[in-house]
Amino acid sequence: MSKLVEILPDKTALIERSLNLITDQITTALATQDRFTLALAGGSTPKPLYEALSQKALPWHKIDVFWSDERYVAPDHADSNEGMARRAWLNHVPMSSTQIHPVPTQSADPEKDATAYEAEIRRVFNCPSPAIPAFDLILLGMGDDGHTASLFPQTEALKVKDRLIAVGSKGGEPRLTFTFPLINQAHRVIFLVSGENKRPALAAIFAPEGDGNEYPSRFVCPQGQLWWLLDQAAGGALTPLSH
Ligand code: 6PG
C-alpha cells in the first residue's frame, strides 16, 4: 500500500483536488481496461464533488457505480446516500440503470438486503465466494468519531471478515456497509475529510499507536493506493505525507 496525505487550503480546494484525482484515475485506468468500478461515499462532504462530476465529460458508459454504505431508508428519503448522489450527479450523466447499483433497503430485513447486495457485487465482478472483488476506487468519508462507511466504533460490523457487506448500526438504526475485507481489497481508496470537528479523530487515526475498534478508519489499509484528502480545518495539525 502507498499512502498519501494531502492538506488543501479549504473545502473548495479539497473538492477540486478530489475531482481532478478521481477523473485522472478513471481516465488512466480506462486506457488499459474496459470497465471502472467505483463505490461512493455517503454523508454530506462529497455532495459538491458529485455535483462537479456531473459537469465532466467522462466515458460514463464504462463506469459501474456502487455505494460503500447506505442508511436503511428508501432512496427518496432525505437521508438516502443513493438519493443524494442521484440528484447531485447520476441523474445528469448518460449512465444506464444497469450501471448504477444501489444498496437494497426495502425488504425490512437488513441482513437479507446485505446478502442481496453482496450477490449483486459478486455478479457484476463475476467474482464468486470466497474471492474478494477489487474495486478500482472506493470513496470514503470519516465521521468525527473516526468511523468510515457505516463501520462505527465498537460494533460487530468491524469484526466481519467472511462477507463483503455487513449490517452496521448507528444509534440503533441499521445501516448497510462495505466490510474491511472489501474496502482493503481495493486498488485505490480516497478519504475526503473536511472540517475542524474531524481533527481529534484524525489525530487518533494518524497516531503511531491506537485502537481501530475505537477509531475504525485506522483499519483502512488497501492493497493499492490510499489517499487522505483533507482540508486545513480538518488536517491542519497533521504533516502531509507521500510514500
Ligand atoms: C454516511 C457515510 C459516513 C460519512 C461520515 C462523514 O452514510 O453517513 O458514509 O461514513 O462518510 O459520517 O459524514 P460527513 O461527510 O457528513 O461529515
Side-chain angles (χ1 to χ4, degrees), residues 17-221:
R17 172 65 178 132
S18 60
L19 176 70
N20 293 335
L21 182 60
I22 292 163
T23 50
D24 286 351
Q25 287 177 351
I26 290 171
T27 306
T28 302
L30 288 175
T32 57
Q33 62 192 59
D34 294 334
R35 307 291 303 168
F36 191 90
T37 51
L38 171 63
L40 304 185
S44 59
T45 301
K47 186 170 183 243
L49 166 63
Y50 299 161
E51 290 166 342
L53 278 164
S54 74
Q55 303 303 308
K56 299 292 283 187
L58 284 169
W60 296 116
H61 63 292
K62 295 186 173 183
I63 298 172
D64 281 286
V65 171
F66 301 76
W67 278 262
S68 52
D69 78 321
E70 185 59 276
R71 293 81 180 273
Y72 204 66
V73 295
D76 60 357
H77 189 285
D79 291 347
S80 170
N81 290 332
E82 173 193 350
M84 183 275 274
R86 286 186 185 276
R87 287 189 299 275
W89 166 22
L90 301 176
N91 290 348
H92 311 289
V93 295
M95 291 177 79
S96 75
S97 59
T98 60
Q99 296 173 249
I100 299 173
H101 310 276
V103 181
T105 60
Q106 300 299 290
S107 80
D109 178 348
E111 289 290 352
K112 178 181 173 188
D113 285 327
T115 301
Y117 201 41
E118 173 155 343
E120 173 69 354
I121 292 170
R122 291 191 176 283
R123 180 190 68 80
V124 174
F125 280 83
N126 189 23
C127 180
S129 178
I132 301 175
F135 273 80
D136 290 304
L137 174 59
I138 298 176
L139 303 179
L140 294 174
M142 189 202 74
D144 57 12
D145 61 355
H147 82 263
T148 189
S150 286
L151 297 160
F152 292 92
Q154 307 298 357
T155 57
E156 288 304 303
L158 302 185
K159 303 172 188 166
V160 175
K161 302 293 182 227
D162 61 349
R163 278 171 283 146
L164 305 183
I165 306 296
V167 179
S169 174
K170 179 178 185 180
E173 290 299 313
R175 293 193 171 187
L176 299 189
T177 185
F178 279 17
T179 58
F180 285 119
L182 181 55
I183 291 171
N184 288 334
Q185 191 70 3
H187 294 298
R188 304 163 194 85
V189 172
I190 299 176
F191 272 102
L192 302 173
V193 184
S194 169
E196 181 90 25
N197 64 312
K198 307 291 176 79
R199 280 201 180 200
L202 283 172
I205 287 156
F206 280 84
E209 303 296 326
D211 180 2
N213 292 298
E214 284 298 324
Y215 295 97
S217 295
R218 286 184 69 96
F219 286 143
V220 174
C221 51

